[in-house]
Amino acid sequence: MILVPVKDLQNAKQRLSPCLAPEQRTSLARSMVEDVFDALAPFAADPGVAVVSGDPWASQQAKARKFTIIIDDLQAGETEAIAMATSFCLNMGSDFTLVFPADIPLITSDEVSNLLTLKPMRGCVIAPAHDQRGTNGILRRPADLIPLKFGNDSFLPHLAAARATGHEVIVRDFPGIGLDIDRPEDVSLLMTKPVRSRAQRLLLEWNVKGEAYA
């Protein structure tokens, strides 16, 4: 099962406040959610996609794409949401989980397919963020092989935990999956890429250029 946690989008992306107004941050967060959902749509039936969220708009978008919706009433955080979703997957009999954040607008279906082909019999596949600090994609087989704890510096702890299991660990960089948008400089980097996402088109409407926050 592919899992996507989606936090409260009304208050999303606070770290972009130096360059975007509150309503713009919400609109950008929503556009990135749609970019991610569109890339995952081909996997709705196999292996399945579940969105973990308490946000009504995100649930509506997930329902339109025939994703499973796991209601996150507590909204305690991404780590807690994935822990809850992992239990759900185990109860459903899923033998692996693949977690993506909702703020990687350049993710493609081909990248997801490629990552899934790397799935070991037992172990992890980790796709780090472009700065090699965060974790932008992590596959665990079995589904609860290691606990996940997300944050700005989650990659190395996840890598260490995966290696400590003694099972296969694959680290693979993916250009689209690797670019998450948290800081103004991430926005600048996004706008240096060929335009192919809703998020980029929205930023162009606002006349945000690639060099704006470098």
Side-chain angles (χ1 to χ4, degrees):
M1 179 76 80
I2 297 172
L3 301 175
V4 184
V6 180
K7 296 187 289 188
D8 173 19
L9 297 173
Q10 289 293 333
N11 298 300
K13 298 299 168 191
Q14 297 286 332
R15 283 186 285 174
L16 295 181
S17 58
C19 59
L20 297 176
E23 62 273 17
Q24 289 179 310
R25 297 199 300 271
T26 297
S27 296
L28 179 64
R30 286 181 170 179
S31 69
M32 292 194 291
V33 167
E34 288 197 87
D35 286 330
V36 173
F37 283 7
D38 286 348
L40 298 180
F43 308 95
D46 183 20
V49 178
V51 172
V52 194
S53 184
D55 186 279
W57 180 89
S59 295
Q60 185 179 43
Q61 294 298 316
K63 183 179 180 181
R65 293 167 175 82
K66 303 186 184 307
F67 296 166
T68 298
I69 300 167
I70 302 174
I71 300 296
D72 180 14
D73 287 326
L74 297 178
Q75 299 196 56
E78 193 173 18
T79 297
E80 292 78 8
I82 290 302
M84 178 181 67
T86 299
S87 297
F88 173 88
C89 290
L90 290 170
N91 290 333
M92 294 291 291
S94 301
D95 76 334
F96 76 92
T97 55
L98 171 55
V99 180
F100 292 116
D103 62 353
I104 47 175
L106 297 185
I107 184 176
T108 68
S109 300
D110 285 345
E111 286 186 333
V112 177
S113 292
N114 290 338
L115 197 158
L116 286 168
T117 64
L118 300 173
K119 182 168 73 261
M121 290 301 296
R122 194 175 182 89
C124 289
V125 182
I126 305 176
H130 67 98
D131 59 4
Q132 303 289 302
R133 293 180 59 185
T135 305
N136 283 9
I138 183 164
L139 185 150
R140 298 172 293 169
R141 192 181 195 187
D144 60 345
L145 181 62
I146 61 170
L148 301 181
K149 186 174 182 179
F150 291 96
N152 293 333
D153 295 292
S154 63
F155 170 54
L156 290 179
H158 284 155
L159 180 60
R163 286 174 171 167
T165 67
H167 299 295
E168 186 174 2
V169 181
I170 299 170
V171 176
R172 186 65 54 89
D173 292 313
F174 294 94
I177 293 172
L179 182 53
D180 52 337
I181 307 302
D182 286 317
R183 302 162 299 175
E185 51 265 42
D186 298 329
V187 172
S188 293
L189 182 57
L190 174 65
M191 297 310 291
T192 65
K193 308 295 183 184
V195 176
R196 57 180 175 78
S197 71
R198 295 170 189 261
Q200 288 170 301
R201 290 192 289 273
L202 190 61
L203 289 164
L204 282 175
E205 286 181 18
W206 298 335
N207 201 31
V208 174
K209 302 294 197 312
E211 69 278 11
Y213 311 108

